[in-house]
Amino acid sequence: MSREQLLDQAGSRVIDLDIEGMTCASCVNRVERKLGKLGGVEASVNLPLESARVTVPADISDEQITATVAAAGYKATVRPSRFPGTMPEPTERADSGLEAGPTVGLEGDAAVGDHPGSNAAAKLRPRLIVAAVLTVPVFAISMIPALRFPDWGWVAAALALPVVAWAAWPFHRAAAINARHLASTMDTLVSIGVISAYAFSVGQLLADPRMTAHPAAEGMGSGGLYFEVASVVTTFLLLGRYLEATAKLKAGDALRALLSLGAKNATVLREGREEKIPAGQLMVGDVLLVRPGEKIGTDGMVLDGSSAVDASLVTGESVPVEVGPGSQVTGATINTSGRLLVRATRVGSETTLAQMGRLVSAAQTGKAPIARLADRISAVFVPVVLVIAALTFGAWLLAAAPAVGPDGVRAAFSAAVAVLVIACPCALGLATPVGLLAGTGRGAQLGILIKGPQVLEDTRTVDTILLDKTGTVTTGRLAVEGIEGFGTHTEAEVLGLAGAVEHASEHPIARAIAAAALAVEPGHDGAGPAAVAGFRSAPGGGVLGTVKGRLVAAGRTGWLLDNGITPSPAQQEAFAAAEDSGATAIWVAVDGEPAGIIRLRDTLKPGSRAAVDRLRRLGLRPLLLTGDNAAVAAQVAAAVGIPPQDVFAGVLPEGKVEAVKRLQAAGATVAVAGDGVNDAAALAQADLGVAMGSGADAAIEAADLTVMGNDLGHVAQAIELSRRTLSTIKANLFWAFFYNAVGIPVAALGLLNPMIAGAAMAASSVLVVANSLRLRSFGR
């Protein structure tokens, strides 16, 4: 059952867990399988974040979930959420309305407010230092005969004991916990290998105390003793874990930086007085005073003042945006110049920043389809390796038959330990989630939100992209270009009457006409346009109302005809000429007779042409989709380099969905980029929906990718980043599979020293994380 189906069930909810003790892909798979056995429960476990997102039906309690995780051998705690019904919050505390939760380190001690990477690194550091300090002399006296002294083996045993017992304790503890549940993980392999090497060596000393009685005994090398193997392997694996922890911390830096952007305090006006309060206490309707240089405390609308707002931290756009009365502003953006009064429209979990955090966190916690293969392998990997190690030991003993001497036993033991150590599937468990951490985190810095891991796969297959014209390719801000009056009606009269009736509408065309009319004639005593009586409108048609006793209609040709107004042939010819020029033409009729035409024109966004070329270089076929007439569409298409046959003009919202379906039926894999409410259905129908973040919430909710900026180039950048992240994950998985596929047989053949195997295993995990961190430089 899919997550969406589960959420559709009555009472279904999503909870976030912090899980202690997971170390590899086998742990992840075990927790997911255990939770999946509960009816109606679906879980996605993230190893780097040491967390799980679980969809839970109403009849299953939090206690049942945590008990099930405990039955799998791990400890889980439910992360509290301040906002019931929302997606669980990331682990980092921020003043953006997001709640922090506890995280855990390698050994499972909760540390509230810490990131898993920093907590784990802090716990590993003393163990790593002790192991390194003691391993150096053990390695030296074991491998260099000139440094030996009488009974050096017992000294090596004493020095190696703290390394094997205390420094390697996290491996032994995790192995023991899983063994009690008849399970095994990579810690099982490490623990068995280290304990076997040490115990075998002590047994050799007890069986023959004379073997190290003389300094030159056994010549170069440690003979039948493997104290240096146990110590070096432990040290290398701890070093690998430590480097992983610090690298994973860097991979999550972007999300933590995003969530720390919110303003800590805000100045509100209450009863005529200024009052500074924590931003988390803001309520909808509060009026904020934002001075130059201050962050805007929350999402809102400008009531008074004008300024340039730097939104680069949220949208990735470097050019400040001019705002004034009526402009929408986003919390965490910076007021660069003028003094603003802003009414709060969204607070807490509803702010843009909080929504961004939830989207990024959800994407990082999710699981890409490509990772399912790793899950299936990890489920049986460790038991198979244990069997291979046992077979390797037996095969070497059989090869040395019929007289198996000390050399045969040593060779068999060394090969078996090397198999155990080289096979640890750390890299397998890190390949996908660390790549997602780095990729989605970098996207957040650029104002690109990837809704989930499945999106990465979708961007790879998309070959066609439908671009909504208004607000995506063009600015969406219409301006009156010209006016033509008929008969005795002057241009000023036509604009004034149309502006008055259009002032009651929220349509972009209406706002443009109303703004132009107010600019020419501010109204009586500056009070605004004349009053309108009997106002009515039709979506996509026009408006009608009585202004100063005169019935005024403004809109498309069909709107005039619907109201019994028929233009003359000459007037129709003038209207057609206006549309043929690429302008949007609007009829204005007064008292049942056409009074004039108003021409408006949308402006092309500066980077649209370059963005279309960039999309084409990505292997996509750009098509233009618009509700405007063919002449307007053709003009815009020519300006951005889209051929006429790739233009869909005069398309209503339901027609946009049909256009997507037609292309899909023809075999195309379709992406749609749009920003309006009327694009939401098409975004949902598309194989990949890309919403412009400056647009409507409905569009963002329906989309798979959201770009917070206004530039079409960000759409191309979002697709590039998604594809780069997917290719990084694939490279990580290839390396993890290749490493084990080559390393295990080499170790079984006795061609790999256990110490080298330990170093190689640690290096493989670090390599996977380092490869993922390259995504942090994307777009620079």
Side-chain angles (χ1 to χ4, degrees), residues 129-189:
I129 292 173
V130 169
V133 169
L134 295 178
T135 295
V136 171
V138 172
F139 181 84
I141 62 177
S142 297
M143 302 303 294
I144 305 175
L147 299 179
R148 293 176 184 167
F149 43 83
D151 295 319
W152 60 268
W154 293 104
V155 174
L159 291 172
L161 182 59
V163 179
V164 172
W166 183 76
W169 175 246
F171 304 112
H172 305 321
R173 179 179 179 275
I177 290 174
N178 281 281
R180 288 204 303 268
H181 294 85
L182 302 179
S184 57
T185 67
M186 70 145 284
D187 294 297
T188 305
L189 303 180

Side-chain angles (χ1 to χ4, degrees), residues 425-429 431 730-741 764 768:
C426 291
L428 201 61
K730 285 184 173 181
N732 288 347
L733 287 172
F734 170 79
W735 169 250
F737 286 128
F738 176 80
Y739 167 82
N740 285 300
S764 70
V768 162

